[in-house]
Amino acid sequence: MYNSKITGLGYYVPDNIVKNEDLKEFMETSDEWIQERTGIEERRWIDPKTGDTTAVMGAKASRIAIERAGLTKDDIDFIVFATLSPDMYFPGGGVQVQDMLDMPTIGALDVRNQCSGFIYAMSVADQFIKTGMYKNILVIGAENHSGGLEKSTRGRGVTVIFGDGAGAAVLSRCSDSEKSQGKGILSSHLHSEGKHAKELVLEGPSTQRWVPEILEANNPDDVSYYPHMNGQFVFKHAIGRFSEAIMEGLEANNLQKEDIDMLIPHQANLRIAQFIQKKFQLSDDKVHNNIMKYGNTTAASVIIALTEAWELGKIKDNDLVVLAAFGSGFTWGSVMIRW
Ligand code: COA
């Protein structure tokens, strides 16, 4: 068995900054309400004139990650692409990135695990490298939320939270000496609880409710094609599941909470991240949050935050880095990395 490690990281967010105050143009809300409840000050929303899409942003982040890995697009053996907001119903974003980057006809897999998407994608890529099937895998998380949110007072409970962006990592096989030093991905832990699927959901259009049916009904009260979230229910479950996923990762590797050097929590809500930080008694320099600037970018959130923390020099050689996420499904999980 081989070990895998991250050799390149990159992220891309649209230039267009939407501050909390700017949202008042579409809805009744306030900077105070949003900051107090979520910690968000602003988010990036794609300006459609720029041509950015989920896949385009994913490709932009990928170029940076591949270059930083010291590789070229031809060295990549496989793509894993996580998103809940693909450019098309099918095919998924993986093949679009394969085309945009003019890559050879390698395999491309799409992951649909919402806020846990990047955790699942990393775990899948890690297994392919462990078995020796592939050496270098491009793992992407990207979201274009702004194209599908209900920008009105009715939708404000969800709309103010989400932002656009993309991140990418290159996962590569460790050398023998790195493996003997215990470097790379130590373990990943994935979970789901489908009975709560409807607590955070976008129902239509789907094969159960196809576009002609929605159009024919012409029902102005139909909000099934906007995301729905039972906020407080999600909040309560997120806190518990985040903690469990981190504990599970620590226990699987015989580690203690004191061993954590950097926690990258999915950026769902600053209050959730602060609760976890307190629970695991981590000092401020051991948790990286950026929801203030980007909102919740779902499958892109963990990889954008990880890249940013790394760029800021917050992650050093041999650090124990913990990635954890919870989201729609419900799905949740963690990835333990010895840097
Ligand atoms: N601006 C102003 N008021 C708003 C608002 C907004 N953007 N959104 C909702 N409100 C109002 C509601 O209408 C409600 O008003 P009412 O009491 O007159 O009916 C009031 O604020 C409270 O709404 P509620 O939904 O109960 O707020 P909350 O305290 O639960 O906070 C969330 C809402 C979404 C911030 C919070 O539940 C949360 O963060 N949940 C977890 C979200 C999450 O993690 N999601 C991603 C998982 S991956």
Side-chain angles (χ1 to χ4, degrees), residues 187-208:
S187 61
S188 53
H189 308 272
L190 308 177
H191 295 278
S192 70
E193 194 175 28
K195 72 177 176 190
H196 299 312
K198 296 230 168 148
E199 306 297 344
L200 180 43
V201 66
L202 177 66
E203 287 199 61
S206 68
T207 52
Q208 303 305 299

Side-chain angles (χ1 to χ4, degrees), residues 23 27-30 33-34 37-38 114-116 153 155-162 200 229-236 238 242 266-269 271-272 296 298 326-328:
L23 296 170
M27 63 181 72
E28 285 169 34
T29 190
S30 68
W33 191 99
I34 299 170
R37 296 291 214 292
T38 69
Q114 300 69 249
C115 296
S116 314
T153 298
R156 66 185 176 177
V158 172
T159 301
V160 301
I161 295 173
F162 293 97
L200 180 43
M229 177 169 68
N230 184 352
Q232 288 179 15
F233 188 86
V234 173
F235 193 101
K236 224 169 53 199
F242 257 109
H266 162 53
Q267 300 293 290
N269 183 318
R271 307 291 160 248
I272 295 176
N296 178 349
T298 310
F326 171 88
S328 160

